[in-house]
Amino acid sequence: DRTMVDALAPALEALGDGMAAAAAAARRGANFTATLTRAKAGRAAYINARQLEGHVDPGAEAVARLFEHLAA
């Protein structure tokens, strides 16, 4: 969907394997949002595909950074 859920869902799924695994999953999810050129929800839904391409969703980035901080 190109939202924070793209990082949060995999992080929560990996949480049983430890905080480091959850942080890595969150980072992969956040980085994946940079490949999405269409947002289905959130503020990014109002931005055209050319502007989205190559940019990580801010909410997903925040989730990834949170899990990375907790894992440190």
Side-chain angles (χ1 to χ4, degrees), residues 21-69:
R27 174 52 56 200
R28 283 190 303 274
N31 290 345
F32 176 72
T33 64
T35 68
L36 302 174
T37 57
R38 183 169 168 240
K40 298 178 186 174
R43 291 183 180 166
Y46 302 104
I47 299 174
N48 72 48
R50 196 170 61 92
Q51 291 173 309
L52 293 175
E53 189 174 5
H55 297 280
V56 174
D57 179 76
E61 179 66 22
V63 169
R65 288 185 186 199
L66 171 68
F67 276 93
E68 288 168 346
H69 177 75

